[in-house]
Amino acid sequence: MSLLKKWILLLSVCCTATTLLAQKYTISGYISDADNGEKLIAANVFDQKSVAGTVSNTYGFYSLTLPADSVILSFSYIGFQSQEVRLLLDKDIKLNIALSASVNLTTVEVVSEKLERIEESSQMSRIEVPIEQIKKVPALLGEVDVLKTLQLLPGVQSGGEGQAGLYVRGGSPDQNLVLLDGVPVYNVSHLLGFFSVFNADAIKNVTLTKGGVPARFGGRLSSVLEINMKEGNMEEFHGEGSIGFVSSKLTLEGPIIKDKASFIVSGRRTYVDLIARPIIRNQAEEDGDQADLKLFFYDLNAKVNYKINDKHRLYLSAYNGADVFGFETRQNLSENNFTELEGNTDWGNLISALRWNYQISNRLFANTTLTHSRFNFDFGSSVAEVFGEEQDFFSAKYLSGIYDWAGKIDFDFIPNPNHYIRFGGGATHHTYEPGAIQFELEFDDDFQQIQLGSEQSKSWEYSAYVEDDMQFGALKANVGLHATLFSVNGQTYQNVQPRVGLRYLLNNDIALKASYTKMVQYINLLTNESLSLPTDLWVPSTERVRPQDAWQTAIGVATTVFDQYELSIEGYYKQMRNVISYKEGASFIGIENDWQDRVTQGDGEAYGVELFFQKKKGRTTGWLGYTLSWNWRQFDEINSGERFPFKYDRRHDVSLVLSYDFNERISLTGSWIYGTGNSITLPLYRYTLFSQVDIENIGRKNAFRMKPYHRMDLNLSIANKKRKFKKWQSTFNIGAYNVYNRNNPYFVTTGLTASGERTFRQISLFPIVPSISYQFSF
Amino acid sequence: MKLFKNIITIVCLLLLVSCSEDFFDSITEVEIPEHEPRLSVTATFNNNIRKQRVFVNYSVGILDDSPNARRVPDADVRLFEDGVLRNTFTYFSRMDGNSNEEVGWFESDDLEFLPEKEYTLVANSDTYGQATASQQLPTEVPINNLTFKENGAVDIYGDRGNEVTLEINDPAGEENYYSISALVFYRFEDQDTKALIGEPVPVSPVDPILEDLNSGIFLNDASFNGEAFTLRAAVFFEKEEGQLGFNYRRAERIRIVLSSISKDRYLFEKTLSNYYDNRDNPFAEPVIVHENVEGGSGIFTLTTPSEAEINL
């Protein structure tokens, strides 16, 4: 044998041996809830032998590629009993796992030791709040509110008393990407912001990302709020609901074809109008007139999912919610002569999504989504005077809205435990109705229609991304790029946004984390700072109004102490450019010019430190959050070009949430929040120009601080005794909002005292508000 | 159970502590920071006029009940040119016929301003302290050519008027601000009187570059900095009015005044106009009226006018 042949043989043997040694196989499948078939998001899969692991994605899919060997796989999820599976991994294996809910302990108490702990994730500034915990937190009038619970987290603020908007790390509510089953929701609140549109009974999972946003998300500057609806019980018919002061809710779910297709329908409606309507009608009839009232909001969630086979699955989900305020009066002047007056204010969202999951291989998973989202606001009134067969008529309507059609495809590729690669892209078509006023006039059979205000405009937004969650020993990194292209009225903007998240494990319990995020936002919400009205307008970036962009960097430390306390401290710095604001003197109601003439763009700067201390186990659970922050804005055309504190600049923000389980049936939850008062603009002095022109001077914008806000809420839950074979379960919730009746500032207005002297008054909204609600499930 | 009882006790105590006569009163008085009165100074000087006024008042807190005119007759008002005293102002007053209130001002009759000099107006009061403001004379920009066309323009509001065009050379390398006004000279003829009387007439923008503010037409050179530029405006007046022999008047010539103004004056006029337009609108964003007086409030500006006339 020649030397060459020997070398070739040796090389072949080495290669074969190396191949055999490096032979890897993949275990993949879905992780679901054994009781109802719901897919579990971010459930942990961990091989105890190789110390490698992964988590399930939004659709419960997981994939773990390991060297050929025997493996001890542990599957775990918060509130569920862990499951251990021993396998000989000598081929690719498909393994679907159903985890059972813990029976002896309440849901939020249970955290398996093998769950991904705070210090393990490469992502920082991300918080998942279990829906069961959200349901326990005391709420205004007993209305369980997802967004208000999130306001109790560090780095997240409320705008004011009872408001549902989220102000995340110096951002404004329009800078949050709120996704309901992957579809953007534009208006997240009902009743002037007092209640959020999300019905907790229909929700499976809530995750807020305040910084270090992964590359798969884009389009907003400040945060991503992912809310996933339940899929519907695959096993059996099930229902739950509640009856409260403000509204009642009912959710029904069950299999259409067992283990193949399921549905969920959930509805909520308020009923103040049902109580007030007869009173108003009677009152009007006593005066010989007619009157009617509409005053309610509703939400309707529905979802159907169909498992075509092991590789293909379809989801169709929809949400419709609206606020309806209106009145009708008819004043009878004589037999055939009367005056009719009508007023309406309606606004709401309609969103729908069709999703197709396709498991292309045991390492590659695809999700294709088609979505539609619509938010519209209509405000109008009309007067009709009828004289026999003749009629004079006048009506005025204010219309605004935003309508989206979108398609996107996302891939998850998990080549080995050290890499989790996501990539994809999508396109969205926006249509904007940025505030039009329509007049209709009918007089002496002459009919006229006039439309004023800004014209409808349309835009296309394209995006593509790639990210890899990778691990190198103690270092874990999530590195990605998000690229966007936005086209409106012949103007095109393009941006590449790098994202980096790093985690370095100092030891088993302490991790250092850092992140850098660049974000770009092409759509803007024009909002009046003095009021929170749904008249806020969604408008696109244009040739004159450039896209907003921001970069944020954060650094922090995360640790788990005594296995049950999580502590994280994060510092952040965020710079925003081209943020939008109404010019001085401008208002949303201006119809004499285009919206672009009423706005100006400037810069924002926010920085601060957040502390989050959480206890997840035991009879007492809860968290303490504290934020020390600064938040500035600078516009050339506002405040003489000098920077000023943002209205929601809040130096100190504290939230304490504690829940104590007396036993399996009774628990008491309390929350206490404190926040520095909002910055507002008030005239502070008067001076005279020329001989007698009096000017009220505000000095500097937002120079006046309202009083600090603080409040305590309590909620006591008493459940009925659980009986075997009896499905009906019920819980009474008795609570109080603002327990010590603090007069918290809502807004400041000017008025006259009894002696006619001018004065400034703080208006507070809610004194102590008791609540009682009854929850049931069957 | 002990913890539960403790919590209930605490809550009951808090409720009791909170209970008072105004337990459900949702309105509370807001304390506004006390304002220390300071001088407010207004002086908008035109370099073509030698005798001009400075108005000196004092400011008050927003809740103070005091009259609008808060004069400071004993103030000491002086004008410095590059730090050297140039003028001292004297206080005058008279009764206003319309309001039946006294109107007071400081006046000097020897005012003249030179280019590239810095002028500082200083007002001093023993009670209200010192207020100062500085300005330089804006560069004079002559009207190179002026044309007039009867009924030749439609303004931005769609109204037809007489067209005037002004050709100017905007100085390069500096921000320039202008205002435009018009004066029509009428030949007045009555049974007893014959006279030539000049009268200001309304000017309205034809080009959107001109801003129609409450006190006149203003513009900045952001879009034509350093270039030759032609401004178009509509001027509203009738060439002939009345009947011959009875209040008859005929427009004989028109004078267009292009005033070079400072950035301070431009921002002041713009924000003051905005302030007046929106002060009664509860939905409007608050407006800060531009000021340039240190140690007090108000505005001090210099204006360099250029004039051109055309016979009608």
Side-chain angles (χ1 to χ4, degrees):
Chain A
M1 193 181 282
S2 71
L3 189 64
L4 181 66
K5 281 183 180 171
K6 282 178 187 170
W7 271 110
I8 289 172
L9 183 66
L10 184 62
L11 198 63
S12 305
V13 170
C14 284
C15 283
T16 311
T18 309
T19 309
L20 285 171
L21 282 172
Q23 187 68 54
K24 289 181 176 179
Y25 295 105
T26 302
I27 312 150
S28 64
Y30 291 88
I31 305 173
S32 59
D33 183 337
D35 288 342
N36 53 27
E38 287 274 345
K39 294 289 174 270
L40 299 178
I41 301 168
N44 244 41
V45 185
F46 181 76
D47 175 34
Q48 293 177 25
K49 284 187 78 179
S50 64
V51 203
T54 188
V55 291
S56 60
N57 70 8
T58 312
Y59 307 96
F61 175 76
Y62 77 94
S63 170
L64 186 61
T65 302
L66 298 167
D69 197 355
S70 62
V71 294
I72 308 170
L73 288 179
S74 161
F75 295 85
S76 56
Y77 188 71
I78 192 163
F80 286 75
Q81 290 175 329
S82 298
Q83 220 179 90
E84 205 173 271
V85 178
R86 288 168 186 267
L87 291 168
L88 177 62
L89 193 60
D90 56 356
K91 61 183 178 196
D92 286 345
I93 293 172
K94 185 170 282 295
L95 181 64
N96 293 336
I97 293 290
L99 296 180
S100 299
S102 303
V103 285
N104 296 326
L105 298 166
T106 58
T107 314
V108 292
E109 285 175 352
V110 183
V111 178
S112 163
E113 287 78 3
K114 297 175 192 74
L115 284 180
E116 187 176 49
R117 302 197 318 183
I118 188 171
E119 65 273 14
E120 286 178 1
S121 168
S122 62
Q123 202 170 340
M124 65 188 306
S125 317
R126 181 174 191 264
I127 303 176
E128 274 187 55
V129 186
I131 200 72
E132 291 307 321
Q133 192 146 11
I134 289 171
K135 286 183 174 179
K136 281 178 138 190
V137 173
L140 177 63
L141 291 160
E143 279 296 303
V144 175
D145 198 309
V146 172
L147 298 183
K148 285 188 187 145
T149 306
L150 295 174
Q151 288 170 355
L152 298 171
L153 300 171
V156 186
Q157 298 172 4
S158 72
E161 177 75 279
Q163 299 294 297
L166 301 179
Y167 294 80
V168 182
R169 288 187 172 173
S172 47
D174 64 309
Q175 294 175 352
N176 305 319
L177 179 64
V178 181
L179 298 171
L180 180 63
D181 270 351
V183 192
V185 182
Y186 286 100
N187 181 52
V188 297
S189 61
H190 286 301
L191 206 69
L192 304 176
F194 294 127
F195 302 103
S196 82
V197 299
F198 304 108
N199 177 355
D201 287 350
I203 292 168
K204 177 164 78 172
N205 172 276
V206 178
T207 307
L208 177 72
T209 307
K210 302 178 286 183
V213 178
R216 60 186 179 276
F217 299 111
R220 300 290 190 281
L221 295 196
S222 287
S223 78
V224 179
L225 175 60
E226 295 167 86
I227 298 175
N228 290 295
M229 277 172 62
K230 288 178 184 169
E231 290 160 9
N233 198 319
M234 279 277 192
E235 304 300 320
E236 58 184 8
F237 184 76
H238 174 73
E240 65 180 306
S242 69
I243 300 164
F245 271 177
V246 178
S247 73
S248 284
K249 290 177 272 192
L250 181 65
T251 303
L252 299 172
E253 57 180 322
I256 299 168
I257 306 165
K258 200 173 178 188
D259 292 329
K260 191 88 176 161
S262 68
F263 77 96
I264 179 168
V265 180
S266 184
R268 169 171 70 158
R269 191 196 191 278
T270 58
Y271 30 65
V272 175
D273 60 320
L274 301 179
I275 300 162
R277 193 181 274 172
I279 300 167
I280 288 168
R281 276 183 184 163
N282 286 343
Q283 186 69 46
E285 278 168 16
E286 278 176 21
D287 299 335
D289 298 326
Q290 290 166 12
D292 201 2
L293 174 80
K294 289 180 279 182
L295 177 63
F296 64 95
F297 68 77
Y298 69 90
D299 297 299
L300 190 63
N301 297 73
K303 192 168 181 177
V304 177
N305 89 82
Y306 178 55
K307 192 175 157 186
I308 300 165
N309 56 38
D310 273 353
K311 291 199 166 188
H312 297 273
R313 192 164 179 146
L314 284 176
Y315 300 86
L316 178 63
S317 57
Y319 164 77
N320 181 217
D323 286 65
V324 182
F325 291 172
F327 65 89
E328 283 175 35
T329 62
R330 177 169 155 158
Q331 191 180 7
N332 295 315
L333 305 172
S334 64
E335 195 177 336
N336 291 321
N337 185 355
F338 58 85
T339 304
E340 274 185 347
L341 182 65
E342 266 187 52
N344 286 301
T345 307
D346 306 339
W347 69 92
N349 297 290
L350 172 65
I351 64 177
S352 51
L354 175 65
R355 289 185 291 176
W356 168 40
N357 283 181
Y358 175 31
Q359 189 191 325
I360 299 166
S361 76
N362 50 19
R363 296 184 198 182
L364 185 61
F365 180 90
N367 176 56
T368 309
T369 313
L370 295 173
T371 67
H372 169 250
S373 177
R374 187 193 81 190
F375 165 65
N376 64 298
F377 172 78
D378 299 345
F379 168 77
S381 62
S382 65
V383 186
E385 286 189 14
V386 178
F387 311 93
E389 291 186 358
E390 289 183 9
Q391 170 179 289
D392 291 343
F393 175 79
F394 173 77
S395 80
K397 265 186 187 175
Y398 176 87
L399 314 158
S400 73
I402 181 165
Y403 315 96
D404 287 357
W405 286 99
K408 62 172 185 166
I409 185 160
D410 303 285
F411 295 94
D412 287 17
F413 177 55
I414 310 119
N416 58 55
N418 292 333
H419 292 275
Y420 195 124
I421 299 165
R422 294 179 175 92
F423 57 98
T428 305
H429 182 256
H430 304 281
T431 304
Y432 313 84
E433 296 270 9
I437 294 191
Q438 199 176 69
F439 297 101
E440 285 181 0
L441 181 70
E442 187 181 344
F443 187 72
D444 287 345
D445 293 334
D446 183 23
F447 181 78
Q448 281 190 321
Q449 192 179 56
I450 303 162
Q451 184 144 333
L452 301 169
S454 306
E455 289 184 1
Q456 188 188 75
S457 61
K458 294 177 179 186
S459 69
W460 276 101
E461 187 173 352
Y462 305 93
S463 65
Y465 68 89
V466 59
E467 69 172 81
D468 186 6
D469 211 19
M470 44 194 149
Q471 181 157 12
F472 310 98
L475 180 69
K476 224 175 179 182
N478 181 291
V479 180
L481 275 179
H482 185 94
T484 52
L485 191 142
F486 185 78
S487 168
V488 60
N489 301 333
Q491 174 75 30
T492 303
Y493 293 104
Q494 57 229 353
N495 277 287
V496 176
Q497 302 150 47
R499 316 278 173 81
V500 180
L502 300 171
R503 181 227 63 182
Y504 184 75
L505 216 48
L506 292 177
N507 58 39
N508 277 344
D509 294 324
I510 303 175
L512 291 178
K513 294 188 177 189
S515 67
Y516 171 85
T517 308
K518 168 103 190 275
M519 304 288 279
V520 178
Q521 180 166 339
Y522 296 106
I523 62 170
N524 313 283
L525 183 68
L526 292 183
T527 183
N528 187 298
E529 276 194 22
S530 52
L531 296 158
S532 175
L533 294 173
T535 49
D536 295 347
L537 302 179
W538 285 98
V539 290
S541 293
T542 63
E543 196 177 0
R544 286 169 61 189
V545 178
R546 300 185 64 77
Q548 301 180 50
D549 65 64
W551 64 266
Q552 184 189 159
T553 183
I555 186 162
V557 61
T559 183
T560 301
V561 187
F562 303 127
D563 207 36
Q564 56 177 336
Y565 300 99
E566 280 186 355
L567 173 69
S568 74
I569 300 169
E570 291 185 9
Y572 66 90
Y573 179 83
K574 180 154 77 178
Q575 265 200 1
M576 296 167 270
R577 287 192 314 163
N578 299 328
V579 289
I580 198 164
S581 174
Y582 278 119
K583 287 178 183 171
E584 288 184 0
S587 80
F588 69 89
I589 213 115
I591 53 165
E592 69 281 0
N593 49 19
D594 189 78
W595 66 267
Q596 294 177 91
D597 298 324
R598 283 179 265 149
V599 302
T600 182
Q601 291 192 283
D603 299 334
E605 186 182 29
Y607 45 90
V609 179
E610 297 165 2
L611 178 145
F612 189 49
F613 181 65
Q614 187 175 22
K615 184 174 184 292
K616 286 180 166 179
K617 285 180 173 181
R619 297 176 78 166
T620 306
T621 55
W623 69 81
L624 170 70
Y626 170 69
T627 309
L628 172 70
S629 63
W630 288 261
N631 191 356
W632 302 96
R633 293 288 186 273
Q634 190 274 323
F635 296 84
D636 289 345
E637 294 183 74
I638 298 176
N639 198 42
S640 309
E642 290 179 28
R643 81 170 188 171
F644 57 90
F646 189 44
K647 184 179 178 184
Y648 304 103
D649 172 48
R650 196 162 297 170
R651 196 69 66 249
H652 305 283
D653 194 71
V654 184
S655 54
L656 176 66
V657 178
L658 282 177
S659 184
Y660 182 75
D661 294 335
F662 295 97
N663 52 44
E664 273 185 37
R665 291 175 50 224
I666 301 173
S667 69
L668 179 70
T669 306
S671 63
W672 183 76
I673 57 171
Y674 172 91
T676 306
N678 284 346
S679 307
I680 59 166
T681 306
L682 286 183
L684 298 177
Y685 63 96
R686 288 189 292 145
Y687 69 95
T688 308
L689 285 172
F690 301 102
S691 60
Q692 50 193 5
V693 178
D694 228 25
I695 301 289
E696 289 190 352
N697 200 308
I698 60 176
R700 291 280 166 262
K701 188 173 170 72
N702 291 346
F704 185 81
R705 283 272 174 191
M706 289 164 101
K707 280 200 300 183
Y709 184 100
H710 53 90
R711 194 188 80 224
M712 180 193 271
D713 307 330
L714 289 174
N715 184 53
L716 180 69
S717 294
I718 305 165
N720 67 345
K721 278 190 178 172
K722 287 178 185 171
R723 294 195 178 98
K724 269 189 178 179
F725 312 114
K726 193 173 179 186
K727 281 191 172 179
W728 184 271
Q729 287 182 6
S730 61
T731 306
F732 271 106
N733 287 298
I734 303 157
Y737 179 90
N738 194 7
V739 169
Y740 54 85
N741 196 46
R742 156 91 173 164
N743 266 351
N744 278 309
Y746 184 57
F747 65 91
V748 172
T749 184
T750 182
L752 296 175
T753 61
S755 57
E757 289 169 354
R758 191 177 181 191
T759 181
F760 283 92
R761 290 166 172 162
Q762 171 197 291
I763 309 297
S764 303
L765 269 189
F766 299 116
I768 180 170
V769 182
S771 64
I772 184 163
S773 66
Y774 176 72
Q775 291 176 340
F776 56 88
S777 63
F778 54 88
Chain B
M1 215 52 196
K2 197 179 168 190
L3 179 69
F4 179 63
K5 281 177 187 168
N6 288 342
I7 290 168
I8 297 294
T9 312
I10 290 165
V11 170
C12 292
L13 280 172
L14 284 169
L15 282 171
L16 282 172
V17 168
S18 307
C19 279
S20 63
E21 240 176 61
D22 56 354
F23 185 71
F24 290 108
D25 192 356
S26 61
I27 300 171
T28 45
E29 298 289 317
V30 174
E31 278 185 30
I32 299 291
E34 200 169 311
H35 173 72
E36 190 182 332
R38 301 188 305 172
L39 290 176
S40 69
V41 178
T42 320
T44 51
F45 292 153
N46 182 322
N47 199 26
N48 275 4
I49 304 169
R50 297 287 161 262
K51 188 175 178 179
Q52 294 184 84
R53 293 174 179 179
V54 178
F55 297 90
V56 180
N57 299 275
Y58 64 89
S59 61
V60 290
I62 195 71
L63 299 178
D64 289 350
D65 187 19
S66 65
N68 280 355
R70 295 170 292 271
R71 290 174 299 282
V72 188
D74 59 351
D76 177 46
V77 182
R78 294 162 190 241
L79 182 73
F80 294 85
E81 185 184 78
D82 281 345
V84 179
L85 179 65
R86 178 76 175 75
N87 296 83
T88 303
F89 290 77
T90 311
Y91 184 75
F92 293 89
S93 68
R94 65 169 171 80
M95 289 302 289
D96 183 70
N98 293 328
S99 62
N100 206 26
E101 282 181 8
E102 191 181 283
V103 180
W105 65 90
F106 291 84
E107 196 172 274
S108 177
D109 56 6
D110 183 26
L111 290 168
E112 188 175 7
F113 304 96
L114 300 171
E116 295 176 4
K117 301 274 187 188
E118 183 170 85
Y119 292 91
T120 305
L121 187 66
V122 180
N124 255 306
S125 158
D126 291 340
T127 317
Y128 306 110
Q130 187 183 72
T132 64
S134 296
Q135 285 281 281
Q136 281 194 324
L137 192 66
T139 309
E140 184 177 359
V141 178
I143 300 169
N144 296 334
N145 188 31
L146 174 69
T147 66
F148 176 85
K149 188 177 178 187
E150 191 176 353
N151 288 325
V154 176
D155 71 3
I156 56 171
Y157 308 108
D159 296 325
R160 181 164 288 280
N162 304 303
E163 183 194 65
V164 288
T165 63
L166 298 76
E167 288 176 20
I168 61 167
N169 285 324
D170 182 67
E174 58 183 90
E175 286 180 12
N176 294 92
Y177 301 86
Y178 305 97
S179 74
I180 300 171
S181 59
L183 198 68
V184 170
F185 290 88
Y186 287 100
R187 178 66 62 186
F188 186 84
E189 289 179 22
D190 206 340
Q191 288 169 326
D192 309 316
T193 325
K194 282 188 180 177
L196 187 68
I197 298 172
E199 195 175 282
V201 291
V203 184
S204 185
V206 171
D207 297 324
I209 198 172
L210 302 176
E211 297 173 68
D212 191 3
L213 305 179
N214 286 357
S215 57
I217 303 299
F218 292 81
L219 74 152
N220 66 62
D221 68 350
S223 60
F224 57 90
N225 195 324
E227 296 172 9
F229 193 75
T230 302
L231 304 169
R232 290 174 71 228
V235 186
F236 294 91
F237 65 92
E238 294 294 331
K239 272 185 96 174
E240 291 188 42
E241 288 178 3
Q243 294 175 342
L244 278 171
F246 185 74
N247 281 342
Y248 175 76
R249 63 182 197 170
R250 180 169 52 82
E252 208 168 82
R253 66 176 193 273
I254 184 168
R255 177 186 293 168
I256 298 295
V257 182
L258 176 77
S259 298
S260 287
I261 58 172
S262 63
K263 185 176 182 178
D264 281 324
R265 174 71 183 276
Y266 172 76
L267 292 174
F268 169 72
E269 296 291 353
K270 197 166 172 164
T271 53
L272 186 65
S273 196
N274 199 0
Y275 173 81
Y276 281 127
D277 290 348
N278 297 291
R279 65 177 168 178
D280 297 323
N281 180 356
F283 302 115
E285 297 294 321
V287 177
I288 299 174
V289 178
H290 180 76
E291 301 176 33
N292 68 348
V293 174
E294 285 181 28
S297 302
I299 190 82
F300 165 52
T301 63
L302 302 179
T303 297
T304 310
S306 301
E307 297 175 355
E309 289 187 356
I310 196 163
N311 288 326
L312 301 172

